[in-house]
Amino acid sequence: MLAAWSLPCCFTILLGLLELCRAQYEHLGYPHGYPQGYPEPEQEQYTAPELHADTPRIQLRLAGDKRKHNEGRVEVFYDGEWGTVCDDDFSIHSAQVVCRELGYLEAVSWSPSSKYGKGEGRIWYDNVQCTGKEKTLALCTSNGIGVSDCKHTEDVGVVCSDKRIPGFKFINTMANNVESLNIQVEDVRIRAILSSYRKRIPVTEGYVEVKDGGKWKQICDVEWTKHNSRVICGMFGFPGERKYNARIYKMFARRRKPSYWDYSVNCTGNEAHVSSCKLGHAVAAKANSTSGGGTPVVVSCVPGRAFSPSPMTGFRKAFRQEQTLVRLRGGAIVGEGRVEVLKNGEWGTICDDNWSLLSATVVCRELGFGSAKEALSGGRLGQGMGPVHMNEIECSGFEKSITECFFNKESLGCSHEEDAAVRCNIPAMGFQERLRLSGGRNPYEGRVEVLVERNGSLAWGTVCSDGWGTMEAMVVCRQLGLGFASNAYQETWYWPGEVSADPVVMSGVRCSGTEMSLSQCLHHGAHLTCPKGGGRNAAGVSCSETAPDLVLNPQVVEQTTYMEDRPMFLLQCAYEENCLSTTSSESPAISNRRLLRFSSQIHNNGQSDFRPKAERHSWVWHDCHSHYHSMEVFTHYDLLSLNGTKVAEGHKASFCLEDTECEEGIEKRYECANFGEQGITVGCWDTYRHDIDCQWIDITDIKPGDYIFQVVINPNYEVPESDHSNNFMKCRCRYDGHRIWMYNCHNGGSLSTETEEAFPGLLNNQVIHR
């Protein structure tokens, strides 16, 4: 009797634990909490709804000012007219019904008060109340179709999941006006037909196929246009389309009878996704094998330079950016980031007022990516530090550059809290299949294992941890689509991976941090060198969706610089911390040292708090300065000759990190006093005043002349950041023996290449070395 009771009891407990595990990762932003490469629960197959005869036959679409293709104002087609839905009594359950009726797996959220703009026509539904299980919005409780006391300022919108319902089939209930419907299919793909294209990565040419009702079908090319091809190429990460050899495909179509979809496609060319295109006419196919003399649609896309196959494969034409006027900063993966534009030799940001998927797509195509996957607002991918160059942008979608779009030149008042960003569609390169994290407690951490060819077959192995650091870990997290690195590990004995993958298959890895995959980094070839070996000493990483971004305020440095002659006997603490030049050891106590002093104001403009790498138990108490040092090296101060040679230096050998001030509405979280937590909160800054010890460079031995003053934050990359290119600041400096001037102070990467050349002998990346 006891055994009979314990089995269902244990099963119930196991189910509860499984649900807890699933909930543990729901906050990580993946549908159902499972990153790519991890098994997901099997989804139910789509079944067409069987509706009672008196159920109103409606069609739905998402319209309005979208920032993703799978969101928008809910619009309903009934009785020959498109209308909207009022937000009264609307809930996430109602949004669930809308999204599933449109073929999406589930609803993510909903928005009242015409977030996506005011609609037109009738308000078909008001006081909608759904349980979430209804097969159509028409089955939910409401005032009745067409009965409403709302205005269009109350139009409701929804955000649906990216994933589609397996087996979803488009069902047209409209007798006419089908051309006003958006395309709703389970999936879309470019299928390589010719053998030469099947071997290429990425796939750039082939049949356009849609998956409808669980079956892949071709599209008849009778009404196909270049605008349609442009949209398809953009969806798959390509900025444009090109001509192809139609004769070969006609021969292929004659040998194999195509299976056509029931409709043609009608795009304007500026859509970011085919789901925003309209249905074309129904295809009159004879036995579904011909389409009025047409053949299956073929597209041939032009990849951006970063994704084009090598010349060895015979593919030479690639999209090339004519001039660098736009760039992305602060993104975790290739093709995403804060949008920055170059104006008057200075990089600045774009305000998110009116920022749309249309404008974001112009940016993405300009940079050699496809159309935009998402237009982000509110400084979601970190804040910039320079001017805000553009506001209220309006694009047609066909501009070659965002700088050609209309924008409000007079509009002022935008802050960096409103910086616009994008996530672009990029080609499928297969990078994620060649790398995995093994043995971690969650999908975001583990031992790094790579797939390599050994003796004619593919095998998994580990990466040598010699020299393994933040930059290498950043590339791993990017390749897996897991965001930024939070830590790089040179020992992984606590993460037991697959025993068969213990042998080292990659060594000598050195990355700049910008590579798309670990294989693109410098590494040893067939002759591996790894004294420690793999297994427990293999390389490992932990990843995070967000990262901090420290930026020094150059204006504060420029405005607070001065010289001070200070007697040696008052510099005992600084001497102990090596904050004086080497000649100070021979100076008598009554002699003076000449100090170049300045204040530094370091902002955290990223998406998460900056915390020291070392845990509290390893912080060192310094009696002289009466605080705990949490980082061994935090900042370097250097004075360089005009040819880049270092002539004097200073540093923060260790640092007390705390929030000195914060932006309005943000509370301070870190304070050094009384062994408090150390760090810099997002939206706060740590100010080291000019009158604090070691906040200087000892220039006692420097001759009068012109110099370059340089500050580098987090120089050893001890703490990973979303953008390391802005971690240094440079100024021109003139010293006449009695006075000192600091001018043209700016952060790394904030000026154009031409302007940077005014600093001879110093390259942007010269200060970032290991």
Side-chain angles (χ1 to χ4, degrees):
M1 186 68 183
L2 181 63
W5 174 85
S6 62
L7 277 173
C9 178
C10 292
F11 184 67
T12 305
I13 292 170
L14 283 171
L15 280 177
L17 288 171
L18 182 64
E19 187 62 26
L20 282 172
C21 290
R22 188 177 80 84
Q24 183 180 359
Y25 302 116
E26 282 186 340
H27 71 283
L28 297 177
Y30 289 91
H32 302 290
Y34 295 88
Q36 195 164 351
Y38 275 72
E40 298 182 20
E42 285 191 20
Q43 300 296 337
E44 59 178 287
Q45 286 291 315
Y46 176 82
T47 53
E50 295 182 8
L51 303 178
H52 196 270
D54 61 357
T55 304
R57 297 305 193 261
I58 63 171
Q59 299 274 178
L60 301 181
R61 71 181 181 189
L62 300 180
D65 305 324
K66 303 180 181 184
R67 292 191 176 180
K68 288 190 287 188
H69 73 85
N70 49 320
E71 68 175 11
R73 181 177 60 247
V74 180
E75 293 196 346
V76 179
F77 188 85
Y78 177 73
D79 196 22
E81 184 181 351
W82 283 101
T84 62
V85 177
C86 183
D87 60 16
D88 291 350
D89 291 340
F90 201 86
S91 68
I92 191 65
H93 301 300
S94 306
Q96 184 82 354
V97 173
V98 168
C99 290
R100 290 187 63 81
E101 189 169 356
L102 287 167
Y104 296 102
L105 205 57
E106 60 187 355
V108 175
S109 63
W110 65 279
S111 302
S113 307
S114 63
K115 176 187 174 181
Y116 299 100
K118 294 189 291 185
E120 296 178 346
R122 301 278 295 275
I123 297 176
W124 283 122
Y125 285 108
D126 187 8
N127 296 109
V128 176
Q129 296 179 13
C130 306
T131 64
K133 304 293 184 183
E134 293 86 353
K135 294 292 185 182
T136 171
L137 194 67
L139 290 174
C140 295
T141 304
S142 70
N143 291 349
I145 194 160
V147 180
S148 172
D149 59 357
C150 292
K151 297 178 180 178
H152 282 299
T153 52
E154 300 170 85
D155 287 342
V156 78
V158 299
V159 179
C160 302
S161 66
D162 288 328
K163 293 196 173 181
R164 305 285 291 173
I165 299 173
F168 176 80
K169 181 171 179 58
F170 170 71
I171 299 172
N172 175 28
T173 63
M174 294 167 55
N176 50 31
N177 204 19
V178 67
E179 293 82 8
S180 67
L181 278 175
N182 290 101
I183 291 174
Q184 302 165 18
V185 291
E186 184 184 344
D187 203 358
V188 184
R189 71 180 181 186
I190 299 175
R191 183 164 70 95
I193 299 299
L194 306 182
S195 58
S196 59
Y197 280 92
R198 287 179 197 161
K199 298 173 185 176
R200 291 182 183 172
I201 295 176
V203 174
T204 58
E205 183 174 302
Y207 279 174
V208 177
E209 297 185 335
V210 296
K211 195 176 187 182
D212 192 25
K215 296 179 180 179
W216 286 104
K217 298 181 180 181
Q218 292 83 43
I219 300 173
C220 180
D221 70 352
V222 169
E223 296 183 6
W224 192 261
T225 67
K226 287 184 178 180
H227 290 319
N228 296 346
S229 296
R230 188 172 191 260
V231 173
I232 295 295
C233 288
M235 276 179 62
F236 290 94
F238 306 115
E241 74 290 341
R242 67 185 185 115
K243 291 182 180 180
Y244 60 92
N245 190 338
R247 188 182 304 170
I248 297 176
Y249 288 99
K250 284 182 180 178
M251 291 170 58
F252 185 86
R254 278 199 292 267
R255 289 203 308 267
R256 279 191 167 186
K257 290 185 178 180
S259 175
Y260 287 110
W261 191 43
D262 298 335
Y263 299 92
S264 58
V265 175
N266 183 15
C267 303
T268 62
N270 60 7
E271 294 90 350
H273 194 275
V274 75
S275 63
S276 298
C277 297
K278 304 298 182 188
L279 277 177
H281 297 102
V283 175
K286 297 178 182 177
N288 204 27
S289 61
T290 64
S291 63
T295 56
V297 164
V298 175
V299 296
S300 185
C301 306
V302 181
R305 291 182 68 184
F307 306 99
S308 59
S310 65
M312 297 296 289
T313 60
F315 195 99
R316 293 174 184 169
K317 185 176 180 181
F319 174 87
R320 296 175 184 272
Q321 195 176 351
E322 293 181 5
Q323 51 184 332
T324 308
L325 296 175
V326 179
R327 68 183 185 186
L328 303 182
R329 283 290 184 272
I333 62 173
V334 175
E336 74 170 31
R338 178 179 63 253
V339 183
E340 296 188 350
V341 293
L342 185 64
K343 182 181 178 183
N344 299 328
E346 186 175 11
W347 288 98
T349 60
I350 290 177
C351 186
D352 63 12
D353 292 350
N354 296 349
W355 186 240
S356 67
L357 205 56
L358 199 62
S359 303
T361 291
V362 172
V363 169
C364 291
R365 289 188 189 273
E366 178 181 3
L367 293 172
F369 307 117
S371 50
K373 190 184 301 180
E374 186 175 2
L376 298 137
S377 58
R380 283 267 305 280
L381 296 185
Q383 298 181 21
M385 278 290 284
V388 178
H389 281 326
M390 301 176 77
N391 188 17
E392 297 180 9
I393 295 177
E394 292 180 19
C395 302
S396 69
F398 292 98
E399 293 86 355
K400 289 185 177 180
S401 170
I402 193 74
T403 57
E404 296 176 8
C405 297
F406 170 83
F407 65 97
N408 189 345
K409 298 177 182 178
E410 306 300 325
S411 182
L412 303 172
C414 263
S415 69
H416 286 297
E417 294 177 3
E418 301 170 85
D419 283 346
V422 296
R423 287 195 175 106
C424 304
N425 287 313
I426 60 172
M429 302 296 289
F431 291 142
Q432 290 185 346
E433 286 74 37
R434 303 174 207 171
L435 192 74
R436 70 186 184 192
L437 301 184
S438 181
R441 297 162 297 179
N442 60 60
Y444 279 67
E445 67 178 20
R447 184 176 78 175
V448 179
E449 296 177 358
V450 293
L451 187 64
V452 296
E453 188 174 343
R454 284 286 180 270
N455 302 321
S457 61
L458 293 173
W460 287 98
T462 56
V463 178
C464 184
S465 63
D466 284 0
W468 185 260
T470 297
M471 289 301 156
E472 290 72 35
M474 280 285 196
V475 174
V476 168
C477 294
R478 176 182 300 121
Q479 183 173 347
L480 292 171
L482 297 178
F484 304 96
S486 55
N487 278 294
Y489 301 96
Q490 295 190 351
E491 288 184 351
T492 49
W493 54 267
Y494 35 78
W495 288 333
E498 296 284 341
V499 176
S500 59
D502 278 354
V504 173
V505 296
M506 183 181 279
S507 66
V509 181
R510 293 293 181 275
C511 304
S512 68
T514 59
E515 296 87 351
M516 288 186 283
S517 73
L518 205 61
S519 61
Q520 293 178 350
C521 299
L522 293 172
H523 61 277
H524 296 152
H527 303 289
L528 302 172
T529 304
C530 190
K532 291 182 180 178
R536 59 187 293 145
N537 292 313
V541 302
S542 58
C543 305
S544 171
E545 287 191 313
T546 59
D549 182 23
L550 297 188
V551 186
L552 186 71
N553 189 328
Q555 286 75 34
V556 170
V557 173
E558 192 168 322
Q559 292 163 6
T560 58
T561 302
Y562 67 99
M563 280 193 326
E564 180 191 11
D565 290 337
R566 195 169 180 83
M568 191 67 194
F569 66 83
L570 293 178
L571 295 170
Q572 187 58 38
C573 277
Y575 179 74
E576 288 180 19
E577 284 201 33
N578 297 317
C579 293
L580 301 173
S581 67
T582 53
T583 58
S584 63
S585 59
E586 303 166 6
S587 300
I590 57 171
S591 65
N592 287 336
R593 304 300 296 180
R594 177 157 288 186
L595 308 175
L596 168 60
R597 310 197 71 146
F598 53 91
S599 296
S600 64
Q601 188 184 88
I602 299 172
H603 292 242
N604 182 359
N605 288 351
Q607 304 164 66
S608 60
D609 294 354
F610 185 94
R611 298 296 311 277
K613 182 180 180 180
E615 298 293 337
R616 290 169 67 99
H617 65 268
S618 60
W619 295 355
V620 177
W621 173 258
H622 198 280
D623 286 321
C624 210
H625 286 137
S626 301
H627 63 240
Y628 281 93
H629 293 166
S630 59
M631 287 187 70
E632 200 54 41
V633 179
F634 181 70
T635 316
H636 282 166
Y637 307 135
D638 297 316
L639 200 64
L640 311 167
S641 66
L642 294 184
N643 67 6
T645 305
K646 188 186 296 185
V647 295
E649 65 179 359
H651 62 278
K652 286 294 177 202
S654 50
F655 218 73
C656 164
L657 293 164
E658 63 181 359
D659 296 327
T660 307
E661 291 182 68
C662 298
E663 294 170 4
E664 188 177 349
I666 298 176
E667 292 186 11
K668 298 178 183 179
R669 298 179 60 185
Y670 303 104
E671 188 175 8
C672 292
N674 302 318
F675 198 31
E677 289 287 346
Q678 294 195 24
I680 307 176
T681 306
V682 175
C684 298
W685 53 91
D686 186 0
T687 301
Y688 252 60
R689 286 172 49 88
H690 52 80
D691 52 2
I692 295 176
D693 255 12
C694 295
Q695 190 59 34
W696 62 56
I697 293 180
D698 184 349
I699 60 170
T700 307
D701 308 315
I702 299 302
K703 296 178 180 178
D706 288 317
Y707 297 95
I708 295 170
F709 173 60
Q710 173 180 285
V711 179
V712 186
I713 308 167
N714 192 19
N716 297 333
Y717 309 122
E718 281 189 53
V719 179
E721 298 182 43
S722 60
D723 186 357
H724 288 97
S725 67
N726 58 9
N727 276 32
F728 65 96
M729 185 220 69
K730 296 183 293 186
C731 303
R732 291 298 294 265
C733 177
R734 175 163 291 177
Y735 173 49
D736 68 0
H738 307 284
R739 293 168 297 174
I740 198 158
W741 294 268
M742 204 79 74
Y743 58 101
N744 286 354
C745 293
H746 64 282
N747 289 318
S750 65
L751 302 180
S752 67
T753 306
E754 293 78 9
T755 311
E756 285 290 0
E757 288 173 358
F759 289 74
L762 186 67
L763 300 175
N764 273 0
N765 61 355
Q766 191 169 331
V767 296
I768 298 181
H769 58 272
R770 301 170 71 177

